[in-house]
Amino acid sequence: MMTDLEFGPADNPRAFRDALGRFATGVTVVTCAAATGPLGFTANSFAAVSLDPPLVLWSPAKSSSRFLPFAQAQHYAIHVLDLAHAEWLPRFSRDGAGFDGLGHDLNAQGVPLIHGALARFECAQHATHDGGDHLIVVGRVLRAAYREGMPLVFSQGVYGQFAGI
């Protein structure tokens, strides 16, 4: 029988990160319009907040080179990825290709909307809150869309798919 590893998060940040990794999340790409053109940010820190009013949140890392445009964006879109979109992940990494060759449109606010996402939430910034080394960004959902499919899942440093029981 395995025993639980107990620790103080401040004393063992790696163990804290590993414990957080036990919670499986979906994978999203958040997009906004920036002075340099369309910008994307891979995030698994997406959550529903409220149905009335319709609010969602996500949390970009303050250390990201893309942090400032997203922290200041008054409008953005959150795209939920499916398993086939795993190929999009390198596009939105530090030196990735971004939107080059990726089908997308711009909404009325100039936010890039990626074709084929499993779900999409077009948001207006509602509030931001300090979240330590991240910023908690709450968005009011103005429009949403979805299609049938299985989500791309992230857990313990690995991407994969959901298997129902």
Side-chain angles (χ1 to χ4, degrees):
M1 181 171 147
M2 292 183 56
T3 58
D4 293 346
L5 172 63
E6 293 187 29
F7 58 90
D11 299 329
N12 194 337
R14 180 71 247 178
F16 183 53
R17 186 179 181 114
D18 290 346
L20 291 170
R22 293 333 193 240
F23 182 72
T25 66
V27 183
T28 67
V29 170
V30 183
T31 61
C32 73
T36 57
L39 198 58
F41 194 111
T42 303
N44 67 335
S45 58
F46 169 72
V49 176
S50 171
L51 293 175
D52 186 17
L55 301 175
V56 296
L57 69 77
W58 75 289
S59 302
K62 293 177 181 176
S63 62
S64 170
S65 62
R66 299 175 186 171
F67 173 76
L68 200 54
F70 283 97
Q72 296 174 342
Q74 293 304 299
H75 291 92
Y76 56 91
I78 300 170
H79 303 78
V80 177
L81 306 188
D82 74 13
L83 191 58
H85 298 138
E87 65 188 39
W88 290 359
L89 299 174
R91 289 183 158 277
F92 298 104
S93 65
R94 185 175 315 270
D95 296 317
F99 285 90
D100 291 343
L102 182 64
H104 69 282
D105 296 310
L106 301 179
N107 70 9
Q109 293 79 29
V111 175
L113 306 177
I114 303 171
H115 299 166
L118 188 59
R120 182 184 66 240
F121 304 91
E122 296 176 53
C123 302
Q125 190 182 96
H126 179 77
T128 60
H129 306 279
D130 181 57
D133 59 1
H134 284 66
L135 181 69
I136 301 165
V137 180
V138 179
R140 183 179 185 104
V141 180
L142 305 175
R143 281 173 298 286
Y146 73 97
R147 64 173 176 77
E148 294 299 318
M150 295 299 290
L152 180 62
V153 177
F154 181 73
S155 180
Q156 301 179 54
V158 178
Y159 294 96
Q161 63 185 354
F162 172 77
I165 53 172

